[in-house]
Amino acid sequence: MPPLPFEPKDPAYAERVRASFGRQAAMDTIGASLQAVEPGRVVIELPYAPHITQQHGFVHGGIVAAALDSACGYAASTLMPAEAGVLTIEFKVNLMAPAQGQRFRMVGEVVKPGRTISVTEAKAYAVDDAGREKLVASMHATMMVIIGRDDVRH
Amino acid sequence: MPPLPFEPKDPAYAERVRASFGRQAAMDTIGASLQAVEPGRVVIELPYAPHITQQHGFVHGGIVAAALDSACGYAASTLMPAEAGVLTIEFKVNLMAPAQGQRFRMVGEVVKPGRTISVTEAKAYAVDDAGREKLVASMHATMMVIIGRDDVRH
Amino acid sequence: MPPLPFEPKDPAYAERVRASFGRQAAMDTIGASLQAVEPGRVVIELPYAPHITQQHGFVHGGIVAAALDSACGYAASTLMPAEAGVLTIEFKVNLMAPAQGQRFRMVGEVVKPGRTISVTEAKAYAVDDAGREKLVASMHATMMVIIGRDDVRH
Amino acid sequence: MPPLPFEPKDPAYAERVRASFGRQAAMDTIGASLQAVEPGRVVIELPYAPHITQQHGFVHGGIVAAALDSACGYAASTLMPAEAGVLTIEFKVNLMAPAQGQRFRMVGEVVKPGRTISVTEAKAYAVDDAGREKLVASMHATMMVIIGRDDVRH
């Protein structure tokens, strides 16, 4: 993946994002981990596990959405000032194939950063035992930049 | 809530939906339970718990989405023939307020049932200690009816 | 339809909305007119006409979306201060049936008003010669309140 | 733009798409024209014109959506069998900047083709007098393949 054309405002963006992700208990519960943090892009990995499945044994679409939401939110966060928080206003998910695989790679990217609103997107790829990737879901999300609220920082 | 104007095709729809929900390990992992099953409507309850939160201590928006997705999918399922399965094609979530509360009530309803495609919606209400409800999120989801695939039933 | 539980901040909201709608040349081009303006709700009517159709002779889904977008935006506008403008951040449309009919009735409503963000929804009903209504489309839209920009007022 | 990795099933896909676009009276009404048709991709151009504006003089977001919807639908159509029709199930639009410009270029592409469902996306770029482009809107749309219905062909 080529670098995105974005300049971070906060030189410590990567540490800030990693620390915040570490406080998302929900990500720990589903087994998701942060693999990469760049200006405007974040990669999250989610291994297949029986405790996150739906009734057919695929990973639950809502769990895929949870990881994609974190990927979008933190992609937006990499471009924000140090004191800003981010809240998801809305997202849409298209589930294109059952979430079957050994693990899943979620790549979140900023499409359009903004002072108040950032538009982001993410794709989820299922990875099989041989390392082959298949697109299984996409997200398109609107993030709101929050400044000056102590309960919504980072 | 008044009954919805729908006739189930499968008289055993409630048992079928309850059994299928019981096989969604992801719902058990996040702590969600099925409270009501009617023709075209399903109610899911999700208690607040630290293991499903994001970095500010609110319930993670993606976890709210996961419960809403199950509410939409099973609402659609109540109106389907006994042998049909249901897959989510896409959903959109609007997060209107931080998911703070003692517990959350998700109400999923069918807007337009169809032979191939069913359109559904769901609302998530935060409930505080005094039982007061506040709308915190909505979902609008498109479900696909799957017939004749052994790996996607119920 | 029962009144919505909203108090307008601007007593002249209806005249303001009607004047603004009158400046939307696009609504005139497609033939849409404003039928009702209440606190938190707006009704737009769109007669069937050959110049707004797609290749099968139904009204083009994008034209239905344009009228629904105006219904959502003006529903939000009814609850805003006199000096505020409104911009659509995003919307999603579900097209549930072909837009066939003698005319179409779009009802836009505010789901959650806010100081910065308002969440709205709208439904499009096809009306036949006998006056029977059928739900053909729904929209769920996020509106942004704009204050202090001279190029975005009303 | 590099070619997309898709093989058309219908060798006459371009003529078929052009003929169908020519029957969309709504596109003629708003002034949109078909600029390019390739396997999995379609480009539509929309000149700025006063009759498609909203109250601030920008192109109405719903009109942008109408052109994007056609771009998505015809992108899907390029990969379909000759006898198939296409209907939009749903789309989401993010409006990232006011639609100001001399003209607008809409690029619709297939993300995932399918026998029954095709997932597509489109971007709208405003082009100024100097030919500079700016991303102003994106669409993510789900299309349904219709076979065997005489009223929904091409």
mmCIF file of all heavy atoms in Angstrom, chain D residues 8-13 16-17 23 77-86 145-147 152-154:
data_model
loop_
_atom_site.group_PDB
_atom_site.id
_atom_site.type_symbol
_atom_site.label_atom_id
_atom_site.label_comp_id
_atom_site.label_asym_id
_atom_site.label_seq_id
_atom_site.Cartn_x
_atom_site.Cartn_y
_atom_site.Cartn_z
ATOM 1 N N PRO D 8 -16.385 -8.876 -19.315
ATOM 2 C CA PRO D 8 -17.826 -8.780 -19.574
ATOM 3 C C PRO D 8 -18.383 -10.090 -20.122
ATOM 4 O O PRO D 8 -17.705 -10.779 -20.884
ATOM 5 C CB PRO D 8 -17.921 -7.667 -20.629
ATOM 6 C CG PRO D 8 -16.583 -7.612 -21.252
ATOM 7 C CD PRO D 8 -15.583 -8.064 -20.235
ATOM 8 N N LYS D 9 -19.611 -10.431 -19.708
ATOM 9 C CA LYS D 9 -20.262 -11.644 -20.231
ATOM 10 C C LYS D 9 -20.939 -11.367 -21.560
ATOM 11 O O LYS D 9 -21.213 -12.267 -22.330
ATOM 12 C CB LYS D 9 -21.328 -12.118 -19.238
ATOM 13 C CG LYS D 9 -20.733 -12.730 -17.993
ATOM 14 C CD LYS D 9 -21.831 -13.179 -17.046
ATOM 15 C CE LYS D 9 -21.228 -13.716 -15.772
ATOM 16 N NZ LYS D 9 -21.887 -13.188 -14.596
ATOM 17 N N ASP D 10 -21.270 -10.113 -21.786
ATOM 18 C CA ASP D 10 -21.997 -9.712 -22.993
ATOM 19 C C ASP D 10 -21.048 -8.854 -23.821
ATOM 20 O O ASP D 10 -20.707 -7.742 -23.428
ATOM 21 C CB ASP D 10 -23.226 -8.894 -22.568
ATOM 22 C CG ASP D 10 -23.912 -8.241 -23.750
ATOM 23 O OD1 ASP D 10 -23.677 -8.643 -24.898
ATOM 24 O OD2 ASP D 10 -24.702 -7.302 -23.503
ATOM 25 N N PRO D 11 -20.601 -9.368 -24.985
ATOM 26 C CA PRO D 11 -19.638 -8.582 -25.777
ATOM 27 C C PRO D 11 -20.200 -7.228 -26.213
ATOM 28 O O PRO D 11 -19.430 -6.295 -26.459
ATOM 29 C CB PRO D 11 -19.342 -9.493 -26.977
ATOM 30 C CG PRO D 11 -20.372 -10.563 -26.975
ATOM 31 C CD PRO D 11 -20.930 -10.669 -25.597
ATOM 32 N N ALA D 12 -21.519 -7.128 -26.279
ATOM 33 C CA ALA D 12 -22.143 -5.869 -26.713
ATOM 34 C C ALA D 12 -22.534 -5.006 -25.517
ATOM 35 O O ALA D 12 -23.461 -4.199 -25.592
ATOM 36 C CB ALA D 12 -23.361 -6.178 -27.578
ATOM 37 N N TYR D 13 -21.810 -5.154 -24.389
ATOM 38 C CA TYR D 13 -22.209 -4.464 -23.156
ATOM 39 C C TYR D 13 -22.235 -2.943 -23.334
ATOM 40 O O TYR D 13 -23.100 -2.266 -22.791
ATOM 41 C CB TYR D 13 -21.275 -4.854 -22.000
ATOM 42 C CG TYR D 13 -19.895 -4.255 -22.099
ATOM 43 C CD1 TYR D 13 -19.614 -3.016 -21.524
ATOM 44 C CD2 TYR D 13 -18.875 -4.909 -22.788
ATOM 45 C CE1 TYR D 13 -18.351 -2.455 -21.642
ATOM 46 C CE2 TYR D 13 -17.623 -4.353 -22.912
ATOM 47 C CZ TYR D 13 -17.365 -3.126 -22.341
ATOM 48 O OH TYR D 13 -16.143 -2.554 -22.463
ATOM 49 N N ARG D 16 -25.287 -1.744 -25.290
ATOM 50 C CA ARG D 16 -26.470 -1.976 -24.456
ATOM 51 C C ARG D 16 -26.593 -0.913 -23.368
ATOM 52 O O ARG D 16 -27.676 -0.349 -23.149
ATOM 53 C CB ARG D 16 -26.379 -3.383 -23.842
ATOM 54 C CG ARG D 16 -27.472 -3.698 -22.840
ATOM 55 C CD ARG D 16 -27.519 -5.179 -22.476
ATOM 56 N NE ARG D 16 -26.244 -5.739 -22.050
ATOM 57 C CZ ARG D 16 -25.729 -5.611 -20.815
ATOM 58 N NH1 ARG D 16 -26.377 -4.929 -19.880
ATOM 59 N NH2 ARG D 16 -24.558 -6.160 -20.527
ATOM 60 N N VAL D 17 -25.464 -0.609 -22.702
ATOM 61 C CA VAL D 17 -25.487 0.397 -21.637
ATOM 62 C C VAL D 17 -25.785 1.788 -22.212
ATOM 63 O O VAL D 17 -26.593 2.544 -21.661
ATOM 64 C CB VAL D 17 -24.149 0.388 -20.866
ATOM 65 C CG1 VAL D 17 -23.962 1.661 -20.052
ATOM 66 C CG2 VAL D 17 -24.093 -0.845 -19.960
ATOM 67 N N ARG D 23 -32.307 6.052 -22.653
ATOM 68 C CA ARG D 23 -33.737 6.010 -22.308
ATOM 69 C C ARG D 23 -34.025 6.562 -20.913
ATOM 70 O O ARG D 23 -35.171 6.598 -20.494
ATOM 71 C CB ARG D 23 -34.253 4.561 -22.386
ATOM 72 C CG ARG D 23 -34.285 3.999 -23.809
ATOM 73 C CD ARG D 23 -35.087 2.702 -23.880
ATOM 74 N NE ARG D 23 -34.537 1.646 -23.043
ATOM 75 C CZ ARG D 23 -33.589 0.785 -23.428
ATOM 76 N NH1 ARG D 23 -33.086 0.835 -24.646
ATOM 77 N NH2 ARG D 23 -33.159 -0.135 -22.603
ATOM 78 N N SER D 77 -24.121 -3.011 -14.688
ATOM 79 C CA SER D 77 -24.741 -3.539 -15.904
ATOM 80 C C SER D 77 -23.705 -4.012 -16.930
ATOM 81 O O SER D 77 -23.959 -4.968 -17.671
ATOM 82 C CB SER D 77 -25.637 -2.474 -16.512
ATOM 83 O OG SER D 77 -26.414 -2.984 -17.564
ATOM 84 N N THR D 78 -22.543 -3.361 -16.959
ATOM 85 C CA THR D 78 -21.525 -3.767 -17.947
ATOM 86 C C THR D 78 -21.093 -5.230 -17.784
ATOM 87 O O THR D 78 -20.621 -5.833 -18.737
ATOM 88 C CB THR D 78 -20.240 -2.901 -17.841
ATOM 89 O OG1 THR D 78 -19.649 -3.078 -16.548
ATOM 90 C CG2 THR D 78 -20.512 -1.432 -18.103
ATOM 91 N N LEU D 79 -21.238 -5.755 -16.560
ATOM 92 C CA LEU D 79 -20.765 -7.122 -16.299
ATOM 93 C C LEU D 79 -21.879 -8.164 -16.336
ATOM 94 O O LEU D 79 -21.643 -9.338 -16.052
ATOM 95 C CB LEU D 79 -20.059 -7.175 -14.940
ATOM 96 C CG LEU D 79 -18.878 -6.216 -14.767
ATOM 97 C CD1 LEU D 79 -18.237 -6.422 -13.404
ATOM 98 C CD2 LEU D 79 -17.839 -6.396 -15.872
ATOM 99 N N MET D 80 -23.073 -7.719 -16.684
ATOM 100 C CA MET D 80 -24.216 -8.637 -16.625
ATOM 101 C C MET D 80 -24.496 -9.272 -17.982
ATOM 102 O O MET D 80 -24.109 -8.744 -19.015
ATOM 103 C CB MET D 80 -25.443 -7.872 -16.145
ATOM 104 C CG MET D 80 -25.301 -7.497 -14.685
ATOM 105 S SD MET D 80 -26.800 -6.679 -14.096
ATOM 106 C CE MET D 80 -26.232 -6.202 -12.459
ATOM 107 N N PRO D 81 -25.205 -10.428 -17.955
ATOM 108 C CA PRO D 81 -25.614 -11.042 -19.225
ATOM 109 C C PRO D 81 -26.542 -10.107 -20.006
ATOM 110 O O PRO D 81 -27.189 -9.222 -19.421
ATOM 111 C CB PRO D 81 -26.384 -12.297 -18.784
ATOM 112 C CG PRO D 81 -26.149 -12.468 -17.331
ATOM 113 C CD PRO D 81 -25.659 -11.182 -16.772
ATOM 114 N N ALA D 82 -26.619 -10.337 -21.307
ATOM 115 C CA ALA D 82 -27.375 -9.436 -22.185
ATOM 116 C C ALA D 82 -28.836 -9.296 -21.777
ATOM 117 O O ALA D 82 -29.431 -8.228 -21.936
ATOM 118 C CB ALA D 82 -27.284 -9.937 -23.626
ATOM 119 N N GLU D 83 -29.423 -10.359 -21.223
ATOM 120 C CA GLU D 83 -30.858 -10.331 -20.960
ATOM 121 C C GLU D 83 -31.206 -9.791 -19.567
ATOM 122 O O GLU D 83 -32.376 -9.685 -19.216
ATOM 123 C CB GLU D 83 -31.462 -11.728 -21.131
ATOM 124 C CG GLU D 83 -31.070 -12.750 -20.053
ATOM 125 C CD GLU D 83 -29.700 -13.389 -20.269
ATOM 126 O OE1 GLU D 83 -28.901 -12.873 -21.093
ATOM 127 O OE2 GLU D 83 -29.419 -14.385 -19.590
ATOM 128 N N ALA D 84 -30.191 -9.439 -18.784
ATOM 129 C CA ALA D 84 -30.444 -9.048 -17.399
ATOM 130 C C ALA D 84 -30.806 -7.569 -17.274
ATOM 131 O O ALA D 84 -30.390 -6.737 -18.076
ATOM 132 C CB ALA D 84 -29.215 -9.331 -16.548
ATOM 133 N N GLY D 85 -31.602 -7.272 -16.273
ATOM 134 C CA GLY D 85 -31.849 -5.893 -15.881
ATOM 135 C C GLY D 85 -31.200 -5.653 -14.535
ATOM 136 O O GLY D 85 -30.745 -6.585 -13.866
ATOM 137 N N VAL D 86 -31.154 -4.399 -14.112
ATOM 138 C CA VAL D 86 -30.549 -4.077 -12.831
ATOM 139 C C VAL D 86 -31.455 -3.100 -12.092
ATOM 140 O O VAL D 86 -32.010 -2.182 -12.692
ATOM 141 C CB VAL D 86 -29.123 -3.498 -13.024
ATOM 142 C CG1 VAL D 86 -29.110 -2.279 -13.909
ATOM 143 C CG2 VAL D 86 -28.476 -3.158 -11.697
ATOM 144 N N VAL D 145 -29.497 -7.988 -9.613
ATOM 145 C CA VAL D 145 -29.608 -8.485 -10.976
ATOM 146 C C VAL D 145 -31.003 -9.070 -11.148
ATOM 147 O O VAL D 145 -31.433 -9.892 -10.341
ATOM 148 C CB VAL D 145 -28.547 -9.581 -11.241
ATOM 149 C CG1 VAL D 145 -28.566 -9.998 -12.691
ATOM 150 C CG2 VAL D 145 -27.165 -9.103 -10.814
ATOM 151 N N ILE D 146 -31.694 -8.633 -12.183
ATOM 152 C CA ILE D 146 -33.062 -9.098 -12.439
ATOM 153 C C ILE D 146 -33.062 -9.842 -13.769
ATOM 154 O O ILE D 146 -32.699 -9.284 -14.803
ATOM 155 C CB ILE D 146 -34.035 -7.902 -12.535
ATOM 156 C CG1 ILE D 146 -33.928 -7.000 -11.315
ATOM 157 C CG2 ILE D 146 -35.456 -8.387 -12.766
ATOM 158 C CD1 ILE D 146 -34.480 -7.574 -10.048
ATOM 159 N N ILE D 147 -33.468 -11.104 -13.722
ATOM 160 C CA ILE D 147 -33.532 -11.891 -14.960
ATOM 161 C C ILE D 147 -34.938 -12.462 -15.095
ATOM 162 O O ILE D 147 -35.524 -12.935 -14.116
ATOM 163 C CB ILE D 147 -32.463 -13.007 -14.956
ATOM 164 C CG1 ILE D 147 -31.077 -12.349 -15.042
ATOM 165 C CG2 ILE D 147 -32.666 -13.978 -16.119
ATOM 166 C CD1 ILE D 147 -29.915 -13.286 -15.172
ATOM 167 N N VAL D 152 -38.332 -5.142 -16.506
ATOM 168 C CA VAL D 152 -37.032 -4.684 -15.987
ATOM 169 C C VAL D 152 -35.915 -5.320 -16.803
ATOM 170 O O VAL D 152 -35.328 -6.332 -16.432
ATOM 171 C CB VAL D 152 -36.865 -5.041 -14.492
ATOM 172 C CG1 VAL D 152 -35.533 -4.509 -13.971
ATOM 173 C CG2 VAL D 152 -38.010 -4.469 -13.669
ATOM 174 N N ARG D 153 -35.696 -4.776 -17.977
ATOM 175 C CA ARG D 153 -34.598 -5.282 -18.811
ATOM 176 C C ARG D 153 -33.685 -4.129 -19.169
ATOM 177 O O ARG D 153 -34.121 -3.057 -19.522
ATOM 178 C CB ARG D 153 -35.136 -5.930 -20.087
ATOM 179 C CG ARG D 153 -35.834 -7.256 -19.768
ATOM 180 C CD ARG D 153 -36.121 -8.017 -21.026
ATOM 181 N NE ARG D 153 -34.888 -8.369 -21.733
ATOM 182 C CZ ARG D 153 -34.882 -9.010 -22.896
ATOM 183 N NH1 ARG D 153 -36.013 -9.334 -23.476
ATOM 184 N NH2 ARG D 153 -33.743 -9.298 -23.481
ATOM 185 N N HIS D 154 -32.408 -4.327 -19.077
ATOM 186 C CA HIS D 154 -31.351 -3.391 -19.492
ATOM 187 C C HIS D 154 -31.391 -2.068 -18.715
ATOM 188 O O HIS D 154 -32.076 -1.937 -17.735
ATOM 189 C CB HIS D 154 -31.387 -3.097 -20.995
ATOM 190 C CG HIS D 154 -31.288 -4.312 -21.847
ATOM 191 N ND1 HIS D 154 -31.358 -4.266 -23.209
ATOM 192 C CD2 HIS D 154 -31.137 -5.611 -21.505
ATOM 193 C CE1 HIS D 154 -31.263 -5.514 -23.679
ATOM 194 N NE2 HIS D 154 -31.129 -6.331 -22.658
#
